[in-house]
């Protein structure tokens, strides 16, 4: 159940943000719970995000409960890490930024969306995942943007250019990790990237 009364200071801040049109995205927690969400994600006017793996299976550590809003990739995720460099980490704190990114794209496509509308769109788009007696959706950027009224990803060429800048194939940089969260074929299909043995060797920005 929601925990506003147990954490009034959290609730006050999050409710004010929601009233101002700010969507607060929070990790559900990593306590392996099937019956509750950690604070502050249990506050009513925020989004509680659980974690799934590359096969859309709920991560064992991910807290799940009746008030969870949606799942996002979080087991594992390649990211920058404290101290510099990159690493592959798992957790609902890795999943919540992915969901926040989708929310940002939705609001970019339709700045008039309210918090309630954002929540409804996330809860009704993307694939359904059933686990531990609950069924929730997993975020899908294209579906969410389309439902928000913005068509599909509005700037695919820019996105491909950004990804190419991050993973420069001319220097032989690996495009995918050994974890296989995103396969090279995924990126080749989605972004017009030419991949050879897991390395980026070219990109087509006209797609």
């Amino acid at each position: 159940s929601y925990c506003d009364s147990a954490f009034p200071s959290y609730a006050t801040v999050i409710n004010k943000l929601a009233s101002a049109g700010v969507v607060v995205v929070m990790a559900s927690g990593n306590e392996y719970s099937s019956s509750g969400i950690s604070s502050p994600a249990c506050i009513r006017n925020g989004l509680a995000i659980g974690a799934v793996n590359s096969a859309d299976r709920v991560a064992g550590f991910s807290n799940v409960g009746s008030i969870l809003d949606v799942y996002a990739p979080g087991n594992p995720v390649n990211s920058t890490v404290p101290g510099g460099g990159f690493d592959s980490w798992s957790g609902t704190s890795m999943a919540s930024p992915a969901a926040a990114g989708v929310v940002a794209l939705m609001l970019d496509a339709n700045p008039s969306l309210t918090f309630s509308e954002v929540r409804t769109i996330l809860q009704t788009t993307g694939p359904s995942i059933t686990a531990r007696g609950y069924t929730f959706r997993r975020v899908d950027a294209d579906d969410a943007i389309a439902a928000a009224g913005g068509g599909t990803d509005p700037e695919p060429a820019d996105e491909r250019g950004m990804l190419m800048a991050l993973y420069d194939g001319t220097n032989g940089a690996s495009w995918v990790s050994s974890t296989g969260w995103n396969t090279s074929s995924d990126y080749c299909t989605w972004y017009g990237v030419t991949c050879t043995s897991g390395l980026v060797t070219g990109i087509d920005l006209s797609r």
Side-chain angles (χ1 to χ4, degrees), residues 92 107 111 150 154 163 167 169:
T92 55
L107 293 172
L163 289 167
Y167 297 91

Side-chain angles (χ1 to χ4, degrees), residues 28 40 47 51 62 69 71 75 81 87 101 125 134 150 159 165 176-177 196 198 207:
S28 69
L47 296 178
S62 179
D69 285 292
Y71 293 114
N75 184 33
V81 294
D87 203 350
T125 56
Y134 300 99
E159 188 173 48
V176 294
S177 73
T196 304
R207 287 184 54 176

Side-chain angles (χ1 to χ4, degrees), residues 132-147:
R132 306 187 206 168
Y134 300 99
T135 300
F136 299 104
R137 302 292 185 119
R138 190 258 294 147
V139 294
D140 183 293
D142 278 343
D143 286 355
I145 293 167

